[in-house]
C-alpha cells in the first residue's frame, strides 16, 4: 500500500452527516414506536394514562423529522459536492460505473483480491441507497396516508388519499410494516459493509461519517 | 313531463298529507315528533335552528313515490328498517313515502306487482326515489339474479336510470358487498357501477343503519337535494368520521389498555379491541354515535371488533377480522409479517456474520487506498 501521498480529504459535508444521523435516529425511534402501534400490549393500569397517545405522538414527530431529513438530503443531492450528488446513486448509467459495480461485486464474492476503493460511495453502496431512498418514499407516503385517515377532508388526506386506490387499507398497513423490516435488514447490511470497508480500504470510512474526512491518495 | 301527468298522479306524488293527524292516529305526540326532528337534525349535523324547518318540511310534505328493489341480498336492510322495537316516528316518516313496490312487504304479487313498478317508471319518470338493496351480477349477461324474468341489471338500468335519485342501502348495493367478495363468481357490483348514469347515494353498512336512511330522506325532503358525499358516494353526515375517533373505548386505546384474549379481564372491563383486530381505525361510519336498533348498541359496544362493513370490498380488504395485519401473500398461512421480518433480519445478520468471518481470514488483498480521481 502506498503510504506516501495520503492526505485527509473532506468528503461528507455537514448536511450529509446531519441527515444521516437524523435518519438513523428517526428510523430507530419509528421502528420501536411503530412496532408498538402495530402490535400493542397493555402497558397502562388506568384509563387516565396516555401510553399509546405518547407513543403515537413520538412516532408522528419522528415521522416529520425523518421526512424533512430525507427531503433535505434530496435537495443536497443537487446542491452539495460531488460525493453528495445524485450521480453517486446511479453508477449503472455509465459503462465505467457498471464495470466498477462488477469489480465491487467480485470483491464481495471473494472472486477478486482488489479492494474497490472509492473516495465517496462505492458503486454497490450507491445503488443500494437508491433502493433505500425508494423504500423511504414508500414508508413516508404510506405512513402519511395512514395518518391522514383520521381526517378525511384534510390536506394530508387529499395529498395521500390516492394511495388507497393502489392499496387496500390492510395492504397499506402490511406494506408499511414490512418496509420497517426491510430497513432493519438494510441497517444490518450497512453497518457490516461499512466495517468491512473500513478494515479493507483503510480510508477511515467508519469515522468519516462523524468527521467528514477520509484518507485519500494524491492523484498520480 | 308536463302538468297533465302531475294531475294524473294526484293520488300519488302530489297528495298533501295531514301529518299531525297521521301521527295522532298512531299515538305519537307532537312532543315526540319534535324530538324526532331534533334527533334527525343532529344526525345530519344541522344546527338546532333547523329543527323548526325540518318539522315544517315534514308537516308540509308532498308524497314522493318510492320503489324498493332487491337483488343479490339477504333482506337485512329491509329487516333493519322493519324490525324496530316500537313503531317509531321514523317509520311513519318512511310511511309518508308512497312505497309502490317492495318485494318483501308488498301485498301485490306476480304481474300485478310488476305492473305497479312499470307504472311508476312510466308515469313518474324523474320524480320517484329508487332504493336498491343487494348487488347486481354482471357476469354471463347477468343471469345469476333475475326477478320476473328480467335480469337485475336490466331492471336496475330502467328503474334507477329514470329515478330522481337512487339510494343504495347496505354494502352490497353500494359496493357489491359479500356477493362481490373474492372470487366474485357472479361478477357482482354495486348500483353505481352497474348504472353509471344514475344519481346514486350510498348508505353502506351490514346492515345499514335505518336512522341514516331516514336522515337522508329527511334531508332530501327539507332541502330538495341529496346530502354532500365523500369519494365513495357516502353522505358525510353519517360517514364523515372514523369509528375509532368517536368510539366509547377510545380512552382505553390512548391509555394503552387492550383486550389481548377474548373473555380476558380487559375484555370484561370493556377495554380497547384494537389488539384483537378491530378495524375502527380504517372505517368511516357513525355507529358509535348513532348505534343500531333504537340506539341500543353496536358491535364494538357489544365487545366485538369492527369489521369495516361500510367500506368497499370489506370482506377482502379488511381481512383478517381478528388480527391487525394480513398474512404475507405467498407464505404459509401461519406466517405473520413479524415472523418473516425477524427471519429476514436474522438471515441478514447471519449472512454478513459469515461473510465477515471469511473476510477476516482473507489475505493478500490489494488495496492502494482511494485515489483522488479529479482535478478539482
Amino acid at each position: 500500500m502506498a503510504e506516501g501521498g495520503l492526505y485527509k480529504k473532506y468528503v461528507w459535508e455537514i448536511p450529509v452527516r446531519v441527515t444521516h444521523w437524523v435518519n438513523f435516529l428517526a428510523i430507530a425511534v419509528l421502528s420501536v414506536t411503530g412496532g408498538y402501534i402495530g402490535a400493542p400490549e397493555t402497558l397502562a393500569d388506568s384509563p387516565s394514562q396516555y401510553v399509546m397517545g405518547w407513543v403515537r405522538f413520538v412516532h408522528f414527530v419522528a415521522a416529520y423529522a425523518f421526512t424533512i431529513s430525507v427531503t433535505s438530503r434530496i435537495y443536497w443531492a443537487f446542491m452539495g459536492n460531488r460525493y453528495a450528488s445524485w450521480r453517486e446513486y446511479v453508477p449503472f448509467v455509465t459503462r465505467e460505473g457498471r464495470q466498477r459495480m462488477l469489480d465491487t461485486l467480485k470483491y464481495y464474492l471473494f472472486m477478486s483480491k482488489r479492494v474497490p476503493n472509492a473516495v465517496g460511495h462505492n458503486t454497490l453502496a450507491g445503488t443500494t441507497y437508491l433502493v433505500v431512498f425508494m423504500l423511504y418514499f414508500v414508508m413516508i407516503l404510506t405512513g402519511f396516508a395512514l395518518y391522514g385517515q383520521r381526517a378525511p377532508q384534510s390536506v394530508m388526506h387529499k395529498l395521500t388519499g390516492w394511495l388507497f386506490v393502489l392499496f387496500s387499507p390492510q395492504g397499506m398497513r402490511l406494506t408499511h410494516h414490512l418496509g420497517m423490516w426491510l430497513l432493519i435488514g438494510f441497517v444490518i447490511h450497512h453497518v457490516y459493509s461499512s466495517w468491512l470497508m473500513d478494515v479493507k480500504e483503510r480510508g477511515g470510512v467508519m469515522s468519516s461519517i462523524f468527521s467528514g474526512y477520509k484518507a485519500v491518495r494524491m492523484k498520480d | 313531463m308536463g302538468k297533465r301527468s302531475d294531475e294524473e298522479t294526484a293520488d300519488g306524488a302530489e297528495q298533501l298529507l295531514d301529518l299531525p293527524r297521521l301521527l295522532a292516529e298512531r299515538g305519537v305526540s307532537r312532543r315526540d315528533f319534535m324530538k324526532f326532528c331534533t334527533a334527525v337534525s343532529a344526525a345530519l349535523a344541522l344546527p338546532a335552528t333547523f329543527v323548526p324547518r325540518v318539522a315544517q318540511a315534514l308537516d308540509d310534505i308532498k308524497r314522493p313515490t318510492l320503489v324498493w328493489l332487491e337483488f343479490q341480498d339477504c333482506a337485512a336492510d329491509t329487516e333493519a328498517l322493519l324490525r324496530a322495537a316500537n313503531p317509531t316516528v321514523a317509520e311513519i316518516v318512511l310511511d309518508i313515502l308512497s312505497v309502490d313496490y317492495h318485494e318483501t312487504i308488498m301485498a301485490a304479487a306476480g304481474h300485478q306487482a310488476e305492473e305497479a313498478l312499470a307504472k311508476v317508471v312510466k308515469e313518474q319518470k324523474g320524480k320517484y326515489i329508487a332504493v336498491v338493496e343487494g348487488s347486481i351480477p354482471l357476469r354471463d349477461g347477468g343471469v345469476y339474479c333475475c326477478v320476473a324474468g328480467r335480469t337485475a341489471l336490466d331492471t336496475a338500468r330502467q328503474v334507477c336510470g329514470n329515478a330522481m335519485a337512487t339510494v343504495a342501502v347496505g354494502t352490497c348495493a353500494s359496493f357489491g358487498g359479500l356477493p362481490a367478495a373474492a372470487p366474485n363468481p357472479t361478477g357482482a357490483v354495486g348500483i353505481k357501477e352497474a348504472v353509471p348514469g344514475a344519481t346514486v347515494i350510498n348508505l353502506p353498512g351490514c346492515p345499514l343503519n335505518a336512522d341514516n336512511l331516514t336522515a337522508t330522506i329527511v334531508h332530501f325532503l327539507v332541502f330538495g337535494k341529496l346530502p354532500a358525499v365523500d369519494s365513495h358516494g357516502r353522505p358525510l353526515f353519517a360517514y364523515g368520521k372514523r369509528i375509532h375517533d368517536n368510539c366509547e373505548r377510545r380512552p382505553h386505546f390512548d391509555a394503552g389498555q387492550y383486550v389481548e384474549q377474548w373473555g380476558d379481564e380487559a375484555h370484561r372491563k370493556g377495554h380497547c379491541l384494537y389488539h384483537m383486530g378491530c378495524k375502527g381505525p380504517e372505517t368511516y361510519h357513525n355507529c358509535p354515535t348513532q348505534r343500531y336498533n333504537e340506539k341500543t348498541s353496536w358491535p364494538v359496544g357489544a365487545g366485538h371488533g369492527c369489521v369495516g362493513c361500510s367500506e368497499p370490498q370489506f370482506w377482502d380488504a379488511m381481512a383478517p377480522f381478528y388480527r391487525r395485519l394480513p398474512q404475507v401473500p405467498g407464505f404459509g398461512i401461519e406466517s405473520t409479517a413479524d415472523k418473516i421480518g425477524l427471519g429476514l433480519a436474522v438471515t441478514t445478520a447471519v449472512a454478513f456474520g459469515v461473510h465477515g468471518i471469511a473476510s477476516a481470514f482473507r489475505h493478500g488483498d490489494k488495496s492502494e487506498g482511494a485515489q483522488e480521481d479529479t482535478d478539482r
Side-chain angles (χ1 to χ4, degrees):
Chain A
M1 185 170 164
E3 295 291 342
L6 272 183
Y7 75 108
K8 58 177 186 176
K9 180 168 176 62
Y10 189 49
V11 177
W12 312 126
E13 296 163 296
I14 286 173
V16 175
R17 284 176 279 149
V18 169
T19 54
H20 175 273
W21 290 113
V22 171
N23 286 355
F24 165 73
L25 286 174
I27 289 170
V29 169
L30 286 164
S31 298
V32 172
T33 53
Y36 183 71
I37 294 166
E41 304 288 331
T42 296
L43 291 181
D45 49 23
S46 150
S48 58
Q49 283 176 269
Y50 202 59
V51 175
M52 179 58 104
W54 282 115
V55 167
R56 291 176 75 235
F57 175 76
V58 171
H59 192 77
F60 301 145
V61 170
Y64 277 113
F66 181 65
T67 306
I68 293 166
S69 174
V70 169
T71 315
S72 310
R73 185 61 185 83
I74 291 167
Y75 171 79
W76 202 250
F78 294 95
M79 306 305 289
N81 69 16
R82 58 173 298 164
Y83 308 111
S85 167
W86 60 272
R87 289 186 184 83
E88 289 269 293
Y89 302 101
V90 287
F92 47 83
V93 296
T94 64
R95 175 188 279 276
E96 191 205 343
R98 286 193 293 272
Q99 186 58 46
R100 282 194 188 191
M101 284 174 77
L102 193 64
D103 292 343
T104 311
L105 188 64
K106 277 183 177 169
Y107 178 78
Y108 277 129
L109 296 177
F110 306 101
M111 290 160 66
S112 158
K113 286 183 177 300
R114 204 180 146 75
V115 179
N117 295 297
V119 180
H121 302 103
N122 87 46
T123 46
L124 281 191
T127 309
T128 307
Y129 303 153
L130 180 70
V131 176
V132 167
F133 264 79
M134 297 298 173
L135 204 52
Y136 288 170
F137 296 147
V138 170
M139 294 304 276
I140 289 168
L141 285 171
T142 54
F144 278 108
L146 292 171
Y147 188 23
Q149 282 197 303
R150 83 200 186 284
Q153 306 301 309
S154 66
V155 175
M156 193 187 289
H157 190 74
K158 285 191 168 74
L159 288 174
T160 56
W162 59 272
L163 282 158
F164 286 99
V165 179
L166 303 177
F167 296 92
S168 71
Q170 285 291 92
M172 181 91 81
R173 281 164 174 79
L174 184 62
T175 306
H176 196 68
H177 198 86
L178 289 176
M180 172 192 78
W181 282 112
L182 289 175
L183 284 175
I184 289 172
F186 162 73
V187 168
I188 293 168
H189 149 254
H190 181 65
V191 171
Y192 168 72
S193 299
S194 308
W195 168 80
L196 180 72
M197 284 299 129
D198 189 86
V199 171
K200 300 295 179 186
E201 282 185 344
R202 296 167 200 164
V205 67
M206 214 59 164
S207 71
S208 72
I209 196 59
F210 298 96
S211 67
Y213 286 91
K214 282 174 86 172
V216 176
R217 196 157 54 92
M218 293 278 191
K219 188 169 168 61
D220 291 332
Chain B
M1 300 304 286
K3 201 166 173 52
R4 202 176 58 85
S5 67
D6 288 350
E7 284 161 6
E8 269 179 6
T9 58
D11 60 337
E14 292 295 299
Q15 187 184 2
L16 271 166
L17 285 184
D18 186 359
L19 187 70
R21 186 180 56 76
L22 193 68
L23 292 172
E25 277 175 8
R26 303 223 182 182
V28 178
S29 69
R30 184 73 186 170
R31 183 179 173 78
D32 286 339
F33 175 64
M34 291 310 291
K35 274 187 186 166
F36 166 78
C37 293
T38 308
V40 166
S41 302
L44 286 166
L46 296 172
T49 48
F50 268 87
V51 173
R53 199 167 153 193
V54 169
Q56 183 72 33
L58 295 180
D59 275 343
D60 293 350
I61 208 154
K62 294 184 174 63
R63 204 173 179 208
T65 299
L66 182 146
V67 294
W68 185 298
L69 304 175
E70 288 187 61
F71 299 128
Q72 292 190 133
D73 72 327
C74 62
D77 302 297
T78 297
E79 291 286 339
L81 188 64
L82 300 178
R83 297 263 172 147
N86 306 298
T88 61
V89 187
E91 255 186 279
I92 295 165
V93 167
L94 291 170
D95 279 355
I96 289 167
L97 300 161
S98 169
V99 181
D100 286 13
Y101 184 87
H102 189 311
E103 282 143 10
T104 304
I105 58 172
M106 65 190 167
H111 293 299
Q112 270 187 320
E114 295 310 312
E115 271 167 28
L117 181 62
K119 191 169 168 235
V120 170
V121 174
K122 186 162 169 257
E123 293 181 358
Q124 295 193 52
K125 189 174 176 180
K127 287 186 187 170
Y128 63 91
I129 298 171
V131 174
V132 177
E133 180 179 1
S135 64
I136 295 164
L138 298 183
R139 190 163 296 168
D140 300 331
V143 296
Y144 300 111
C145 180
C146 293
V147 178
R150 295 171 71 192
T151 64
L153 181 62
D154 190 30
T155 307
R157 274 188 184 142
Q158 191 200 16
V159 176
C160 301
N162 289 310
M164 178 166 53
T166 300
V167 184
V169 293
T171 303
C172 297
S174 300
F175 310 123
L178 298 191
N184 193 359
T186 65
V189 297
I191 184 71
K192 185 65 188 174
E193 201 177 329
V195 190
T199 306
V200 177
I201 189 160
N202 289 327
L203 299 177
C206 198
L208 99 154
N209 191 328
D211 291 350
N212 291 335
L213 176 61
T214 313
T216 301
I217 287 171
V218 167
H219 185 286
F220 188 68
L221 297 174
V222 173
F223 296 104
K225 61 178 183 185
L226 293 169
V229 296
D230 68 5
S231 59
H232 292 307
R234 305 175 294 191
L236 290 172
F237 75 81
Y239 300 88
K241 291 256 165 58
R242 255 189 337 178
I243 287 198
H244 190 52
D245 295 328
N246 280 332
C247 182
E248 66 229 32
R249 294 177 188 239
R250 179 60 187 261
H252 297 294
F253 172 82
D254 287 331
Q257 294 183 303
Y258 304 98
V259 176
E260 286 167 22
Q261 233 181 343
W262 298 116
D264 69 4
E265 180 75 6
H267 196 207
R268 289 197 293 279
K269 283 182 172 170
H271 290 177
C272 177
L273 295 159
Y274 179 87
H275 185 97
M276 304 306 288
C278 176
K279 300 300 181 293
E282 309 161 44
T283 306
Y284 298 88
H285 208 173
N286 58 355
C287 304
T289 46
Q290 207 63 29
R291 304 181 162 209
Y292 280 83
N293 300 333
E294 309 290 302
K295 296 187 171 35
T296 305
S297 190
W298 65 296
V300 171
H304 187 285
C306 169
V307 299
C309 73
S310 63
E311 294 297 317
Q313 314 309 329
F314 80 97
W315 197 262
D316 300 318
M318 292 297 177
F321 291 158
Y322 301 107
R323 283 170 189 240
R324 280 245 60 81
L325 287 174
Q327 307 297 344
V328 181
F331 290 85
I333 51 163
E334 285 305 316
S335 299
T336 64
D338 283 327
K339 279 184 190 161
I340 290 164
L342 198 60
L344 173 87
V346 169
T347 309
T348 312
V350 169
F352 287 117
V354 170
H355 193 279
I357 291 164
S359 298
F361 287 104
R362 72 193 289 179
H363 295 293
D365 281 355
K366 297 189 202 79
S367 176
E368 298 97 25
Q371 186 179 13
E372 180 67 89
D373 49 2
T374 67
D375 296 321
R376 263 203 319 191

